[in-house]
Amino acid sequence: MFLLGVYGAYFGAGLGTLTLAVLSILLPDDLQRSNALKSMLSLVINAVAVLVFVFSGFVEWMPALI
């Protein structure tokens, strides 16, 4: 899950599919609950990524605003 978090925070494409696949392998739960957990994990991953990019200084804000 950590590797999915790193991948999703940096790139993001396909994160939902990969997360759902890993959850279906690791958790003996139905698809609806796994999908809800996937959505919450994606929210957390993206929120942490935003905070890291905002406070790390890696983003040049003037060109980003333009």
Side-chain angles (χ1 to χ4, degrees), residues 47-59 61:
V48 169
V50 165
L51 291 174
V52 167
F53 283 126
V54 165
F55 293 113
S56 67
F58 292 134
V59 177
W61 288 106

Side-chain angles (χ1 to χ4, degrees), residues 1-3 7-9 12 15 20-22 24 27 29 31 39-40 46 58-59 62 65:
M1 293 306 299
F2 175 75
L3 293 176
Y7 169 78
L15 175 64
L20 194 58
V22 170
S24 66
L27 296 177
D29 217 349
L31 184 60
S39 297
M40 291 305 298
N46 287 316
F58 292 134
V59 177
M62 197 53 80
L65 291 174

Side-chain angles (χ1 to χ4, degrees), residues 1 4 16-30 33-39 41:
M1 293 306 299
L4 282 176
T17 305
L18 289 173
T19 306
L20 194 58
V22 170
L23 288 176
S24 66
I25 291 170
L26 296 178
L27 296 177
D29 217 349
D30 61 343
R33 296 185 110 190
S34 295
N35 194 33
L37 181 58
K38 176 211 46 136
S39 297
L41 286 172

